[in-house]
Amino acid sequence: MEAVISEPRAEVSENAPKIEVIKINPDKIAGLIGPGGKVIRAIIDETGVSIDIDDDGTVSIFGKESENMKKALELVKNQTQSVELNGIYEGNTLPYLSCLLDL
C-alpha cells in the first residue's frame, strides 16, 4: 500500500461525496425544520445538499460540492444558534428609527 500512497491525502477529492455532522440543541429542531418543513426545504433547495436530522439533535449534511456544504452548514448554524450577549449578527434593518423621529 505504501508504494502507491505513503500517507492519506489532506483533503478529499472534489468529486467525492462529503458529510458534515453537527450537534444542535434538540429544542431547536422544530425551528430548523420550520412549519411544514419550509425552512429545511429552503436550505436543501438553495444548496443542493441532503440533510438528515436525528431526535438527539445530530444534523448530518451530505453533498458533493464543498462550497455548497459550507453554505448549508452556515445556514443550519444561523437557524439554530442562540443569541449571545455582545454577539455580532448580520441582517436587514427596517427604517424603524425614522418612524420614531417623526413622532
Side-chain angles (χ1 to χ4, degrees):
M1 182 95 161
E2 285 193 24
V4 177
I5 184 169
S6 61
E7 60 185 45
R9 292 183 178 96
E11 199 168 301
V12 179
S13 168
E14 278 295 317
N15 298 322
K18 296 163 189 58
I19 181 172
E20 288 280 346
V21 179
I22 63 169
K23 191 85 161 172
I24 64 169
N25 183 339
D27 296 336
K28 305 275 186 171
I29 292 174
L32 177 59
I33 295 172
K38 182 179 176 182
V39 174
I40 197 73
R41 274 188 308 213
I43 294 172
I44 291 169
D45 291 344
E46 184 177 337
T47 60
V49 301
S50 297
I51 300 176
D52 289 338
I53 305 169
D54 292 332
D55 292 337
D56 66 351
T58 303
V59 179
S60 303
I61 303 171
F62 306 92
K64 288 187 178 181
E65 297 178 20
S66 296
E67 289 302 314
N68 290 348
M69 293 283 295
K70 289 177 187 175
K71 185 172 186 176
L73 184 61
E74 186 67 26
L75 290 170
V76 168
K77 286 181 179 179
N78 288 343
Q79 190 66 34
T80 59
Q81 72 182 357
S82 297
V83 177
E84 297 176 11
L85 183 63
N86 297 325
I88 298 174
Y89 302 96
E90 292 184 22
N92 296 328
T93 58
L94 300 174
Y96 181 74
L97 187 56
S98 65
C99 293
L100 290 177
L101 295 176
D102 289 338
L103 296 176

